[in-house]
Amino acid sequence: MNVLVILVLGLAVPLAYRYRLGSRLRQFGLTRWVGPRFDPAAYGLPPREQLNAHRAGPPPTHERKEIRALANDARDGDWRAAAAFVEAAGQDWDERWSRHELLQQLAAEDDTWLNAWLSARPGDGTAATVRAQLLLHRAWAVRGADYAHNVPAGRMARFMVQLNAAMDAAQQAAALAPEDPGPWVVMVTAARGLRYDREEFRPLWKELVARAPHHYEGHAQALQYWCAKWAGSDQLMLEFAERAVHKAPAGSPLAAVHLHALRELTRRKGLSALPSSRAAKDLLETVARSLNQVPDDDPGLQGLRHHLAQYLLRARRYDAALEQFRRIGPWCGAKPWTDEGDPVAAFDLARGLAALRSHPAARS
């Protein structure tokens, strides 16, 4: 059932009955209440006819030509453009990781160019890191995303063999590129699949943050280690995420790690599992303020905003939710709206509730 039904109107019926009403209450209750009252333009929001369920945010306006040329060179077996592409990121470790991941995706289609790179420059730490990432992704593709008890024994055995190979490759890459946190992100990710205990995991994490204390993907992968389905618990996961929020520097998306933790909770337990204390709601607004400082062209930012808007609405922080909907604009092709039968209607209902419940001072 859509969380908006349960949380916003506060209809005077028992909670169990609200759940039984399901989508009918959403359609005939909230929609009828919001519809006549909500004029998007009055709240600085785009009109309904402009809503777009095909994308999470606006299409990128830069680097397309460079990436297409890079892909073409790779398909032709030329690795030099790939090497230059990564080196241009310098020591912006988040950007460097993003470029590594792009190369890994190209290598997943055809790794001939990567093998040529490794052969031509056997001591190149960048090439070795891309190889480690490729092996990591291949291992996880064998396992799949299901829970361990649902993975056939043969697949799990292949997963472990390939994951050990990825760990070995990452250790080799770390020796070749001692300043780069990338190999350590691979190791932190592999460690949970290999069931490292906490005493084995902590040294890997220490090495990663020594190189890049605010590494976004590194924190996202470590969060998974500390969640209940791997080596931690809900409490350990949320504590890890809260520390990330408080240490996030201006302009970094690091605070969004908290949204990953909330998504992990809701996937397993539903929206009712979200923390509901005042401190938890205040923390969510801290995340919003932090993400508002992230450059708009950050590739993952728009997808994060959709979840943030939903969680703020769930927390009844309507002013902050309305601000996120303004920043999102007309784009609604992202979770959680795409989990509904009609993403446009779900998105429009959510932003309408945020607008109508917001403080008058926040509406201008």
Side-chain angles (χ1 to χ4, degrees), residues 111-346:
D111 61 2
T112 303
W113 63 272
L114 177 57
N115 291 330
W117 185 2
L118 290 163
S119 178
R121 293 184 182 175
D124 191 318
T126 299
T129 301
V130 174
R131 176 175 178 268
Q133 289 175 247
L134 177 62
L135 293 175
L136 179 73
H137 281 270
R138 285 176 173 172
W140 232 278
V142 169
R143 184 193 185 281
D146 212 339
Y147 286 100
H149 64 269
N150 292 326
V151 180
R155 267 175 44 202
M156 185 63 79
R158 293 196 304 275
F159 168 64
M160 297 299 285
V161 169
Q162 294 191 33
L163 204 55
N164 272 300
M167 179 67 83
D168 291 344
Q171 292 169 344
Q172 294 167 20
L176 295 172
E179 294 183 350
D180 192 342
W184 297 95
V185 178
V186 175
M187 285 186 254
V188 161
T189 307
R192 75 170 184 268
L194 293 171
R195 297 292 181 180
Y196 276 32
D197 64 32
R198 296 175 188 179
E199 296 309 308
E200 293 174 300
F201 178 82
R202 286 191 176 99
L204 302 180
W205 177 244
K206 183 178 179 180
E207 293 288 350
L208 195 164
V209 296
R211 290 163 174 79
H214 308 120
H215 199 286
Y216 177 74
E217 185 63 21
H219 279 78
Q221 293 300 332
L223 178 86
Q224 283 294 308
Y225 178 86
W226 291 113
C227 76
K229 67 185 180 186
W230 290 103
S233 65
D234 291 345
Q235 180 178 350
L236 288 171
M237 176 186 67
L238 289 169
E239 289 173 352
F240 178 88
E242 183 172 356
R243 289 193 296 272
V245 172
H246 290 311
K247 73 179 184 180
S252 166
L254 182 59
V257 168
H258 183 60
L259 303 181
H260 290 271
L262 298 183
R263 287 178 63 192
E264 182 65 33
L265 279 179
T266 57
R267 283 193 194 106
R268 292 185 294 106
K269 297 183 176 181
L271 284 157
S272 61
L274 289 173
S276 58
S277 68
R278 182 182 182 89
K281 296 176 181 181
D282 288 346
L283 182 64
L284 199 55
E285 290 212 51
T286 300
V287 173
R289 288 191 295 271
S290 184
L291 291 188
N292 288 346
Q293 300 178 68
V294 177
D296 288 338
D297 61 357
D298 184 285
L301 180 61
Q302 288 299 324
L304 294 169
R305 285 199 189 285
H306 291 278
H307 287 285
L308 177 58
Q310 183 200 37
Y311 294 139
L312 286 167
L313 191 61
R314 174 70 172 79
R316 301 189 182 188
R317 297 298 173 99
Y318 302 115
D319 293 359
L322 177 58
E323 181 182 10
Q324 293 307 311
F325 282 115
R326 286 177 176 145
R327 290 174 180 269
I328 290 168
W331 312 100
C332 54
K335 290 179 178 295
W337 328 117
T338 53
D339 290 335
E340 302 294 328
D342 187 340
V344 171

